[in-house]
Amino acid sequence: QVQLVESGGGLVQAWGSLRLSCTPNEGTFSLGWFRRAPGNEREFVAAMSWNGQATYYADSVKGRFTISRDYTKNTVYLQMNSLRPEDTARYSCAGRKAGRSSAPLTQEASYDYWGQGTQVTVSS
């Protein structure tokens, strides 16, 4: 059974930084990050294709967040800098096996697997 293991959330002050990580327990995946704040719908944050050739970002995080991949660890990272209170949300990693689909990685429906989520709280 495929599992996506996330880590790295926490409490940080505004303008601070956090790094989230997502590690599938098997296989090669395109991986994305989504977030949901209380009272809001889940929204796309960032994604990277399985081969690292394509990355995508929500407009709200461009220039502040960076998605990267360490193939030796089979891990994708989301480096979040200049955090704002409005970034407060539960962040979830999503995975789609390599070669399964060409649907846009910015859409929730494109993914087959989801992690349990990790909370990010940014204080003002």
Side-chain angles (χ1 to χ4, degrees):
Q1 181 178 355
V2 173
Q3 292 183 332
L4 305 179
V5 180
E6 301 143 327
S7 63
L11 172 64
V12 65
Q13 289 187 328
W15 297 104
S17 298
L18 285 172
R19 189 178 75 163
L20 307 182
S21 64
C22 175
T23 304
N25 65 340
E26 62 177 74
T28 302
F29 292 81
S30 295
L31 290 169
W33 288 96
F34 291 76
R35 67 186 183 186
R36 176 177 282 164
N40 292 353
E41 296 195 354
R42 187 156 56 187
E43 64 175 1
F44 168 74
V45 177
M48 175 178 279
S49 61
W50 66 271
N51 56 10
Q53 291 183 357
T55 57
Y56 308 90
Y57 295 95
D59 288 343
S60 59
V61 306
K62 281 181 182 176
R64 299 189 298 124
F65 291 10
T66 303
I67 191 168
S68 62
R69 185 189 292 260
D70 184 337
Y71 286 95
T72 66
K73 299 180 179 179
N74 198 27
T75 296
V76 165
Y77 301 99
L78 184 67
Q79 178 67 43
M80 305 185 295
N81 298 329
S82 301
L83 282 161
R84 305 166 180 169
E86 54 263 40
D87 294 317
T88 295
R90 189 164 187 85
Y91 286 68
S92 296
C93 177
R96 183 178 81 197
K97 284 191 173 180
R100 191 193 74 74
S101 169
S102 60
L105 292 175
T106 57
Q107 298 178 1
E108 288 185 50
S110 297
Y111 296 91
D112 303 309
Y113 305 98
W114 291 83
Q116 79 283 2
T118 184
Q119 180 66 33
V120 171
T121 302
V122 184
S123 63
S124 58

